[in-house]
Amino acid sequence: MGTELLAPLDLAFWHLESDAHPMHLGALAVFSPAPGPAHGADAETVLELLGARAAAIPRLRMRVRDVLLPVGGAAWFVDKDFDVHRHIGRVWLTGAEARDEGGGFMAGATRLAGELMERPLERGLPPWQMYVIGGADGGPFAVLVKLHHALADGMRAVAIGAGIFDEIAAVGRSRAGTPVRRARTVPPRSWMPGPRQVAGFALGRIEDLGRAFGVGASMVRASRLDPRGTPALTASSSGTRRLATADLDLEAVQRIRRVAGGTTNDVLLAIVAGALRRWMRERGEPLPVEDPRALVPVSRRRPGQAAATGNKLSAYLLGLPVGEPDPWRRLAVVRAAMDRNKAAGPFRGAGAVAVLADQLPSLAHRFGAPIAGSAARMLFDVLVTSVPLPRSALSLGGCPLRAVYPMAPLARGQSLAVALSTYGGRVRVGLVADGKALPDLDRLARCADDELAELLALLPAH
């Protein structure tokens, strides 16, 4: 793998970062002891296995360096001094947490994961870290994965992180032993573009500029003159992070979807809206006059597209109907709004801010990132993203994967990000918050369970 320029959106994520706003994605993967008397690998063996497999992933050997051209640009280079041991580590749990007494393991793992998510990745190294979180050998353990957003979007992060699992690593080893077929020789092309290429390039740029202008105009129209947003979700950043998790029954979510129509994601977005409403009321806060806005990322990756490409994202803006008291009515409002978003497409509307970023020159990202980051709160209040995971059962060192909780970064001026993923018949919810702004994040996680339960309780009447 040679030098590769950062795509404009990747460069934007790289320059959006600050000490108080690290721009890394995360995932907390929780493993059960392996069945049988051996109980699978001990913590040290898992750490060695993790290092060996991470070192075998070419993308994890790349670091970012500035380049002369394009002006303000940067590129991925292979780190010639790469040492995987600088990127992996172990943190311990003690007492009841380590022995998983009374569910203490998850409480301890999420507490430590939140503290580790506070720390920005070292920019002079390949931008990723992995930690084994566990205590007693033979007990449960977790692996926290941190990947900079410039390195991967959600789908790409899953593809990279999957390389640590037994099943994916075995496929990689088998492919490594397969002879590579020689590609059919293609006559070399002239470096001078032909008239059709020039015309096609010019037409493409005109279309890109037109699209950027349309997105920019939509952003201006959608921007709020009052940037305070929803008080419960916007706060001055303390630089601290807190993590909470929720587990929803996928079959229950699907039952609701079959009655209400729409998509599984529509149901999950409605659950998020209902959970926020419950949480605000339990806190004694007045419900906002204007519904909080969610930024809902949308992948622009096409089937069969090369996996090495950078971030391919757009997004939809969605008003979360926290002011609506009826859960099923909330779901109907969410579904109608998402249907309108999908009809317009991921390249239109103010939510397609990532598309606009793809049209800007490198220098604009280098100097404009702080302004753009501060303006995020004028468009949305909370990020709600769904991360697809493999459907097959996975393991590490013979220890079965029982859950994966995804984590999204916080934008400036925002105190909560919500990420969801489905694995093993459950929807795992990862809540990342500013630790001082939302000390009661566990309560919000419980509200998600309560909202699903109420939708189910009302199901026979619909």
Side-chain angles (χ1 to χ4, degrees):
M1 182 178 292
T3 302
E4 176 190 333
L5 284 174
L6 268 72
L9 185 53
D10 301 341
L11 194 64
F13 286 132
W14 188 249
H15 290 306
L16 277 170
E17 185 168 64
S18 67
D19 288 343
H21 293 90
M23 287 300 297
H24 50 254
L25 310 169
L28 184 66
V30 182
F31 297 86
S32 298
H39 296 298
D42 59 28
E44 289 303 319
T45 302
V46 167
L47 193 64
E48 292 176 8
L49 189 62
L50 194 65
R53 290 180 179 172
I57 300 172
R59 198 70 182 173
L60 297 184
R61 293 174 167 267
M62 307 288 283
R63 70 183 185 92
V64 176
R65 280 179 15 200
D66 292 341
V67 295
L68 293 176
L69 291 174
V71 177
W76 294 104
F77 290 81
V78 175
D79 185 359
K80 296 180 180 178
D81 299 319
F82 176 76
D83 180 359
V84 73
H85 296 98
R86 302 177 72 175
H87 297 268
I88 61 171
R90 182 185 176 189
V91 288
W92 286 261
L93 297 174
T94 58
E97 290 180 341
R99 295 188 296 273
D100 201 21
E101 295 176 0
F105 173 78
M106 275 304 302
T110 53
R111 173 182 56 80
L112 283 175
E115 295 173 2
L116 293 168
M117 286 294 287
E118 292 179 10
R119 306 174 187 175
L121 295 163
E122 189 171 339
R123 291 172 75 87
L125 298 174
W128 64 275
Q129 287 280 323
M130 295 184 190
Y131 299 91
V132 177
I133 300 175
D137 288 335
F141 67 93
V143 174
L144 175 65
V145 180
K146 294 167 55 177
L147 298 174
H148 200 284
H149 212 335
L151 181 66
D153 55 22
M155 291 182 68
R156 179 63 179 148
V158 171
I160 292 173
I164 70 172
F165 295 111
D166 298 338
E167 296 76 10
I168 310 300
V171 171
R173 287 193 300 270
S174 65
R175 287 179 178 174
T178 303
V180 178
R181 295 182 179 179
R182 187 183 298 271
R184 182 173 58 89
T185 303
V186 178
R189 294 182 178 180
S190 169
W191 63 273
M192 287 289 289
R196 290 186 179 180
Q197 291 173 291
V198 171
F201 175 77
L203 182 60
R205 291 306 298 161
I206 291 171
E207 291 174 348
D208 289 344
L209 290 173
R211 181 183 300 154
F213 180 80
V215 172
S218 297
M219 288 178 59
V220 171
R221 289 193 298 268
S223 296
R224 296 170 294 196
L225 297 178
D226 182 356
R228 288 177 295 178
T230 304
L233 303 178
T234 57
S236 299
S237 175
S238 67
T240 61
R241 292 293 180 270
R242 185 175 180 85
L243 172 66
T245 62
D247 291 87
L248 307 177
D249 180 26
L250 178 60
E251 174 56 30
V253 172
Q254 296 286 21
R255 284 176 58 198
I256 295 168
R257 180 195 61 78
R258 286 192 289 269
V259 172
T263 68
T264 300
N265 202 45
D266 293 342
V267 178
L268 294 175
L269 288 167
I271 289 173
V272 171
L276 287 172
R277 175 186 169 86
R278 292 170 180 274
W279 175 66
M280 291 176 187
R281 291 175 66 86
E282 287 183 11
R283 291 178 123 212
E285 292 188 6
L287 296 175
V289 175
E290 181 181 357
D291 287 334
R293 287 178 176 177
L295 187 75
V296 183
V298 180
S299 176
R300 293 191 287 124
R301 293 187 183 277
R302 298 176 181 176
Q305 188 174 35
T309 54
N311 281 272
K312 293 289 184 182
L313 292 172
S314 182
Y316 297 137
L317 281 182
L318 171 69
L320 296 172
V322 300
E324 170 56 55
D326 181 76
W328 279 83
R329 177 60 187 160
R330 281 196 295 270
L331 176 52
V333 171
V334 167
R335 181 188 172 190
M338 289 301 289
D339 284 347
R340 289 193 296 271
N341 277 327
K342 293 167 190 172
F347 295 99
R348 299 184 58 186
V353 59
V355 177
L356 179 62
D358 263 341
Q359 314 306 321
L360 297 178
S362 302
L363 204 58
H365 290 302
R366 182 175 291 271
F367 293 107
I371 299 174
S374 299
R377 66 192 303 175
M378 297 179 68
L379 277 178
F380 66 97
D381 301 294
V382 58
L383 176 73
V384 184
T385 183
S386 295
V387 181
L389 292 179
R391 296 183 180 181
S392 57
L394 300 171
S395 61
L396 176 61
C399 299
L401 175 68
R402 78 184 194 201
V404 179
Y405 300 95
M407 290 168 274
L410 292 181
R412 283 182 175 88
Q414 291 161 351
S415 52
L416 174 67
V418 182
L420 310 105
S421 65
T422 301
Y423 179 79
R426 307 288 293 179
V427 179
R428 315 291 180 172
V429 185
L431 304 173
V432 175
D434 184 282
K436 291 187 177 179
L438 301 183
D440 57 343
L441 192 62
D442 290 336
R443 181 188 296 176
L444 177 57
R446 290 194 297 272
C447 286
D449 291 320
D450 294 340
E451 181 67 13
L452 176 59
E454 183 169 2
L455 280 167
L456 282 173
L458 295 173
L459 188 61
H462 290 264

